Each structure stands twice: as C-alpha cells, then as structure tokens.
Amino acid sequence: MHEYEDLSNFWKRYNKSLLDKLSLDRLKDHLNRENQELRALLKQYLDGISVSDEILSHNNPLFIVNNRSNLPMRIQVDPRRKHQTNTVIEAAHVVKHTI
C-alpha cells in the first residue's frame, strides 16, 4: 500500500507542475499580446514626433507649416467667415411654441 501512496504523491506533483506550466503559457501569451499592442502604440508615437520622408508622405497631425496641417479638414469652413457662430434657441422659447 505504501507504493500506491508514493505513486499518488508523484501524480499530484506531476499534475501540479502541468497546471503551473499551463498557467505560465497563458501568462506568456497574454504578455506577448500586450507587448505587441505597446510596441504598436510606441511606433505610432515615435512616427508622430519624428520627421522623415516616409512620415511626411502620410497624414501627420503634428506636421504644421504656416498654420496649415496636412490632415484633411472634416468640416468645410467658409474662408470669408472669421468665427463660427452657433445658433442658440432658449428652452423657454421652445417650450412656449411646442406646447
């Protein structure tokens, strides 16, 4: 009966080591994915602050010459207008005319 206890202890230790290895493999995969994400963010940042022909050929929000950026504008602005104005309607007016 003593032999079975020794064998049982062996299998307990063996299974624990397999679980530890599986846990470490999962952690390694997670850290590798996180490392790739961080490398991509770092590359994005370095591309944004560095100046080279490759970088200048793409849109770069930090590249401004004579108050103009090479990014396409999302909103078309009339050059005759100096300031953009917003139309404001007071809530009391809206309530008065909707009820």
Side-chain angles (χ1 to χ4, degrees):
M1 196 62 158
H2 181 66
E3 292 175 13
Y4 291 117
E5 289 178 16
D6 291 339
L7 193 57
S8 175
N9 287 336
F10 166 78
W11 286 115
K12 285 180 185 177
R13 290 193 316 256
Y14 178 75
N15 288 334
K16 182 182 180 324
S17 65
L18 285 179
L19 288 174
D20 290 344
K21 182 183 180 306
L22 180 63
S23 173
L24 290 173
D25 287 342
R26 287 185 179 174
L27 179 62
K28 180 182 174 186
D29 291 341
H30 172 74
L31 291 175
N32 282 334
R33 283 192 304 273
E34 184 180 10
N35 189 20
Q36 289 173 350
E37 291 171 8
L38 291 173
R39 284 180 185 267
L41 287 174
L42 181 61
K43 183 181 182 321
Q44 242 179 355
Y45 171 75
L46 291 176
D47 287 347
I49 65 169
S50 62
V51 178
S52 69
D53 290 335
E54 179 187 350
I55 300 304
L56 294 179
S57 66
H58 301 294
N59 293 336
N60 188 335
L62 299 178
F63 183 63
I64 299 174
V65 176
N66 295 331
N67 292 327
R68 292 177 186 234
S69 174
N70 64 350
L71 287 178
M73 293 191 63
R74 295 182 183 176
I75 301 173
Q76 296 295 328
V77 178
D78 186 4
R80 296 172 288 169
R81 272 175 83 174
K82 299 246 180 203
H83 300 286
Q84 182 179 1
T85 58
N86 295 327
T87 304
V88 178
I89 301 173
E90 292 187 19
H93 178 77
V94 172
V95 170
K96 181 178 176 182
H97 292 285
T98 57
I99 294 180

